[in-house]
């Protein structure tokens, strides 16, 4: 279905825009943008490429998203906010023990990067494609995810269950290795997402000086 809407331009003139609804709406455009960014890269993709992949008109594409940067920001913001929520929920479900909380956070991080691999990959590889202001906003959002991990590391250090002498570097290493899963994981590989998540939890705990598996 095509819905005719009217918007007012900056000069006050009213202009007609065709906005497809339903399957040819906002979510279809986001999926088309994600698929195209993965295949062609952000700079190799045009708004016409995205519109064609979604089966939408170019006017509808610009109606929902004024530029391909808006599409990229929406994809990146959505997956990062969902990552933060997943990490926090996993931490809170794990109980009070810092090692259990740390392992749960790492598992949640890895699982998201396997289950939403394309979004995570684009979010990490195309951060450079944002302008300075948008990049700063996204870095601040990603820092919130890092703070979830760092908070639990601090708990473990205070309780004496983690003994790593360089917790800042350890936190960065853990976040980096979890994020990198999106670049190499293959669903048909030898390890399922849950198994990869468990292995990474073990690696993270070992890095922090905690013996054995949580």
């Amino acid at each position: 279905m095509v819905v005719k809407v009217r918007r007012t331009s900056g000069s006050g003139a009213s202009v007609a825009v065709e906005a497809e609804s339903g399957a040819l709406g906002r979510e279809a455009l986001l999926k088309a943008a994600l698929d195209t960014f993965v295949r062609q890269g952000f700079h190799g993709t045009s708004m016409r490429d995205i519109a064609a992949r979604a089966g939408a008109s170019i006017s509808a594409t610009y109606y929902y998203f004024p530029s391909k940067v808006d599409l990229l920001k929406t994809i990146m913001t959505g997956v990062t906010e969902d990552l933060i929520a997943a990490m926090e929920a996993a931490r809170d479900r794990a109980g009070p023990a810092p090692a259990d909380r740390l392992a749960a956070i790492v598992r949640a991080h890895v699982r998201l990067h396997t289950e939403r691999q394309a979004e995570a990959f684009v979010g990490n590889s195309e951060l450079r494609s944002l302008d300075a202001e948008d990049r700063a906003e996204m870095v601040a959002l990603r820092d919130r995810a890092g703070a979830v991990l760092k908070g639990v590391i601090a708990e473990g250090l205070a309780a004496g269950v983690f003994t790593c002498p360089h917790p800042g570097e350890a936190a960065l290493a853990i976040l980096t290795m979890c994020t990198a899963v999106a670049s190499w994981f293959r669903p048909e590989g030898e390890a399922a997402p849950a198994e990869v998540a468990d292995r990474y939890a073990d690696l993270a705990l070992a890095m922090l000086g905690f013996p054995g598996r949580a």
Side-chain angles (χ1 to χ4, degrees), residues 12-179:
S14 185
V15 295
V17 178
E18 292 183 355
E20 284 89 342
S21 63
L24 299 183
R26 188 173 184 275
E27 294 305 314
L29 288 165
L30 283 169
K31 184 180 185 307
L34 177 62
D35 292 345
T36 313
F37 291 157
V38 170
R39 291 170 179 269
Q40 301 174 197
F42 177 78
H43 292 293
T45 297
S46 69
M47 289 291 273
R48 289 194 178 276
D49 292 333
I50 295 167
R53 190 169 188 85
S57 68
I58 191 66
S59 60
T61 303
Y62 278 110
Y63 171 75
Y64 285 110
F65 297 98
S67 72
K68 65 176 182 176
V69 172
D70 291 294
L71 281 153
L72 179 62
K73 285 172 55 182
T74 301
I75 291 168
M76 294 174 72
T77 299
V79 72
T80 306
E81 288 179 341
D82 288 349
L83 173 62
I84 294 168
M87 292 170 69
E88 291 177 337
R91 175 199 63 194
D92 296 343
R93 287 194 302 266
D100 292 342
R101 288 158 71 83
L102 189 285
I105 287 170
V106 171
R107 292 187 187 108
H109 200 302
V110 171
R111 288 298 296 266
L112 185 138
H113 279 72
T114 59
E115 294 167 0
R116 295 173 63 179
Q117 189 173 4
E119 292 165 88
F121 176 76
V122 168
N124 293 316
S125 63
E126 296 294 355
L127 183 63
R128 61 189 177 181
S129 299
L130 300 176
D131 63 28
E133 182 177 352
D134 290 335
R135 188 163 57 250
E137 290 180 7
M138 189 53 54
V139 168
L141 188 60
R142 290 157 68 104
D143 285 346
R144 285 177 49 197
V148 178
L149 178 71
K150 291 175 182 178
V152 174
I153 291 175
E155 292 173 9
L157 290 170
V161 297
F162 298 156
T163 59
C164 177
H166 307 293
E169 287 85 349
L172 181 59
I174 292 168
L175 290 168
T176 301
M177 74 178 189
C178 291
T179 299

